[in-house]
Amino acid sequence: MPCTVVVGGFFGDEGKGKMISYLAVKDRVDVAARGGVGTNAGHSVTWNQRTYRLRMIPSAFPNPGTKLLIGPGVLVDPTVLLKEIDEVKAAHRMRCDPNCAIIEPEHIREDQESVHLKGKIGTTGTGCGPCNVDRIKRVVKTAVDVPALKDYLADVPKLVNDAIGEGKSVLLEGTQGTFLSLYHGTYPYVTSKDVTASSICADVGVGPTKVDEVLLVFKAYVTRVGAGPLDGELSEQDVDSRGWTERGTVTGRRRRAAPFNFDLARRAVMLNGATCCAITKLDIVFPECRGKTNFDSLSSSATDFIRRVETETKIPVRLIGTGPSLEEVIDRRNGSI
Ligand code: GTP
Ligand code: IMP
Ligand code: MG
């Protein structure tokens, strides 16, 4: 697994955090670099009986030997980053690029008070959209301007490319999901930049020729927070009766839900150039699969579903999530992706 990009196949919250943390520990990944928008992301990592909900630190943190980096394309909120560095005790191995743009209190206020952003689009209110606007206007502060970040600055593209050149294992961590992309999503109900695999690479400064695998993460059903179209959307009552109820990691909002969408999945494979995929939350759709770590022990309805995903998307399902914890994974790789 020399250089793998991990991205979301639907509308974010597919469980990228859990799959990335599994890969980091299992493959003893050398370097993990975060791309994506900024603190609008919230990844849950359940490890050692504890659930971490992180917005800035790469989800690979459970492996103590992994260098944790934030690429220059990502927006950094220093208050959130410093708190998380403390929470996971990662000061010695956490670095962010001096060109990361800084989210300031004014960006957060604007995001939360704007009738258009918070009201119509249903943004996360974390200041990401207004910060990206200032970045494009070229008036934003960058990490080099923040004294509290001084000890954490490093040339992230150089660190990542050197690691790739030395044959080390590198994970590029995407956030959000394909259909929240500013270019490829359900505009205007989208986030403030592109979030497909090509952009995640650009966020951390890795060129397309350096990428070996693109791992697309799907949930076994589709969820969406905030406004915008969701084909096949179920009523709240139906969602609850299926046991699919979820709440957002960052905002606590209820996630809307629909059955797995094969059309969206095929389009996500195309837009990301995916070479393989992961399916999370199989245990929620097929409760008898909870905690299983062996493909052969799944029920026939669960294996039929996985095989249908492979037939329709034409890519292999290499990883399957059967519970929230890092260990609850069926790994169908041959050693690596
Ligand atoms: P963003 O970066 O914000 O898009 O989030 P994410 O893709 O990292 O996902 P997030 O952690 O927000 O949501 C996924 C939820 O599903 C979390 O509550 C996870 O703990 C949970 N989860 C992930 N995989 C599995 C699984 O296989 N089974 C079960 N039961 N829960 C899972
Ligand atoms: P923003 O990125 O905060 O501007 O929000 C724009 C849209 O993207 C809203 O519908 C949000 O709910 C959604 N969104 C942004 N980040 C995430 C995420 O990490 N998971 C799920 N939805 C997200
Ligand atoms: Mg999330």
Side-chain angles (χ1 to χ4, degrees):
M1 189 186 78
C3 180
T4 300
V5 191
V6 183
V7 280
F10 291 138
F11 297 94
D13 305 325
E14 298 91 351
K16 297 176 291 296
K18 175 246 170 81
M19 281 303 173
I20 290 167
S21 62
Y22 168 78
L23 289 173
V25 169
K26 174 79 180 169
D27 297 356
R28 299 209 186 93
V29 162
D30 296 303
V31 172
R34 231 207 83 172
V37 184
T39 44
N40 50 353
H43 340 282
S44 318
V45 174
T46 303
W47 171 60
N48 277 350
Q49 274 93 52
R50 199 179 145 189
T51 297
Y52 297 80
R53 296 187 197 286
L54 299 174
R55 296 163 60 193
M56 292 254 74
I57 299 261
S59 300
F61 79 89
N63 184 50
T66 305
K67 271 204 189 91
L68 305 172
L69 308 175
I70 300 180
V74 178
L75 310 176
V76 166
D77 182 329
T79 311
V80 177
L81 177 59
L82 294 168
K83 187 172 149 281
E84 291 185 1
I85 288 176
D86 192 46
E87 188 184 345
V88 307
K89 312 253 172 309
H92 58 294
R93 59 189 175 113
M94 177 71 223
R95 295 290 178 269
C96 81
D97 195 89
N99 283 339
C100 288
I102 297 298
I103 299 173
E104 298 204 73
E106 190 48 47
H107 296 132
I108 298 174
R109 205 169 309 126
E110 187 185 337
D111 203 4
Q112 294 185 350
E113 288 174 4
S114 157
V115 173
H116 178 70
L117 294 175
K118 188 79 192 174
K120 179 182 169 195
I121 308 293
T123 67
T124 58
T126 50
C128 290
C131 182
N132 267 333
V133 170
D134 276 355
R135 191 172 203 182
I136 287 162
K137 286 190 197 157
R138 281 144 288 179
V139 295
V140 83
K141 244 193 198 171
T142 58
V144 76
D145 304 316
V146 180
L149 295 179
K150 188 167 75 46
D151 292 344
Y152 299 107
L153 300 185
D155 181 343
V156 167
K158 173 112 176 57
L159 288 175
V160 177
N161 282 283
D162 283 354
I164 294 171
E166 289 161 23
K168 293 188 168 158
S169 55
V170 173
L171 272 182
L172 307 184
E173 300 189 10
T175 60
Q176 288 75 48
T178 301
F179 300 102
L180 289 176
S181 159
L182 180 64
Y183 301 161
H184 306 292
T186 52
Y187 188 90
Y189 301 100
V190 291
T191 191
S192 51
K193 64 185 238 196
D194 179 38
V195 288
T196 57
S198 317
S199 285
I200 302 305
C201 296
D203 287 341
V204 298
V206 168
T209 54
K210 304 287 176 183
V211 173
D212 300 290
E213 300 283 351
V214 176
L215 171 68
L216 192 55
V217 182
F218 296 117
K219 203 181 271 184
Y221 48 97
V222 184
T223 61
R224 170 160 211 175
V225 276
L230 177 60
D231 279 353
E233 181 167 4
L234 300 168
S235 68
E236 283 194 3
Q237 201 186 9
D238 202 355
V239 172
D240 291 342
S241 69
R242 292 176 186 226
W244 294 6
T245 320
E246 291 184 21
R247 288 200 173 270
T249 312
V250 176
T251 57
R253 288 180 294 181
R254 195 183 157 99
R255 290 179 180 157
R256 301 155 58 201
F260 192 92
N261 186 322
F262 290 95
D263 292 332
L264 286 184
R266 273 191 299 271
R267 189 161 178 85
V269 170
M270 175 185 85
L271 292 168
N272 290 286
T275 56
C276 59
C277 72
I279 306 278
T280 64
K281 294 210 154 187
L282 192 73
D283 54 301
I284 301 294
V285 176
F286 305 97
E288 70 282 4
C289 300
R290 175 84 197 226
K292 297 274 199 273
T293 53
N294 186 333
F295 189 73
D296 296 332
S297 63
L298 294 180
S299 60
S300 58
S301 43
T303 53
D304 285 352
F305 169 66
I306 297 294
R307 295 220 161 89
R308 179 162 176 217
V309 172
E310 294 188 318
T311 308
E312 300 237 9
T313 63
K314 300 194 170 62
I315 56 169
V317 177
R318 292 267 196 250
L319 298 163
I320 300 169
T322 57
S325 147
L326 189 151
E327 300 86 20
E328 291 172 302
V329 169
I330 296 172
D331 191 338
R332 302 172 77 209
R333 304 173 301 158
N334 249 341
S336 67
I337 280 180

